[in-house]
Amino acid sequence: MIEAWKRALVLAPHTDDGEFGCGGTMARLAEAGCEVRYVAFSIATRSLPEGFPPDTLAREVREATAALGVPEERLTVHDFDVRTFPDHRQEILELLVALWEEYRPDVVFQPSHHDVHQDHQTVAQEGLRAFKRTTILGYEIPWNNFDFAYDAYVGLEQRHLEQKVAAVQCYASQQHRRYANADYVWNLARVHGTNVNRDYAEVFQVYRLVA
């Protein structure tokens, strides 16, 4: 099925969410010739460690997505203030509806509805409304998910994980976080791969499957 996807859309509430949630899958799709588009809704300026310029994450997301095979012209970065997305729900929905009308993706990757971060929840909820006519997969952010259904697995090769790790390492401003760790990325992919008799995998919740 994955080989049939020609246009994929990744929704990242904050820069780096897409890389953590489905970076390996992005690399596999881009390698196969799928047109992968990445939309981030916040550069989380208020969450930057001291000493980093305000535009740090806007630069880092360009480098990270390029490492996954996504060219800069397929990257869109908005600047909603972090932790305020519920206040901008309608504006975010309208951006998503416009994306559907313009791009018509075959598959949309977005946060899980069990993600407890308020910004992630808003993108997940409005994503269902905007993209209900196509396949929607919820990606895993383990440190934010209190529940998660392991519905769909995407098998990955070592090179895809190497690209994912390289993408995560592009975020110099986030390396203080425990999960921004190469061993964590590798080990999580190994666990998911073992569950389906693969070397590596990423896992998703299926919200809609259109084939």
Side-chain angles (χ1 to χ4, degrees), residues 51-72:
F52 286 92
D55 65 344
T56 293
L57 283 161
R59 174 180 49 78
E60 291 175 343
V61 72
R62 287 195 299 271
E63 297 170 358
T65 49
L68 296 172
V70 179
E72 188 171 347

Side-chain angles (χ1 to χ4, degrees), residues 160-191:
H160 304 136
L161 263 294
E162 289 171 348
Q163 286 179 263
K164 179 172 181 171
V165 168
V168 169
Q169 291 177 340
C170 288
Y171 289 98
S173 67
Q174 304 301 305
Q175 294 305 303
H176 63 289
R177 302 187 186 277
R178 285 186 178 270
Y179 50 77
N181 178 289
D183 288 341
Y184 177 77
V185 173
W186 283 106
N187 290 337
L188 188 63
R190 287 189 184 102
V191 168

Side-chain angles (χ1 to χ4, degrees), residues 42 47 58 62 65 73 75-76 88 119 135 146 151 163 205:
S42 177
S47 297
R62 287 195 299 271
T65 49
E73 62 267 21
L75 170 66
T76 302
H88 301 284
D119 294 349
T135 296
F146 281 19
D151 296 328
Q163 286 179 263
Q205 288 191 275

Side-chain angles (χ1 to χ4, degrees), residues 11 14 20 41 49 63 98 133 161 165 169 180 184 203 206:
L11 303 179
H14 315 108
F20 282 116
F41 289 85
E63 297 170 358
R133 299 174 183 84
L161 263 294
V165 168
Q169 291 177 340
Y184 177 77
V203 67
V206 177

Side-chain angles (χ1 to χ4, degrees), residues 117-146:
H117 194 296
Q118 63 267 47
D119 294 349
H120 294 209
Q121 286 181 359
T122 301
V123 172
Q125 291 163 1
E126 301 311 323
L128 273 194
R129 294 183 174 92
F131 299 106
K132 60 188 176 184
R133 299 174 183 84
T134 195
T135 296
I136 305 174
L137 302 179
Y139 54 71
E140 180 188 37
I141 302 289
W143 52 92
N144 280 351
N145 295 151
F146 281 19

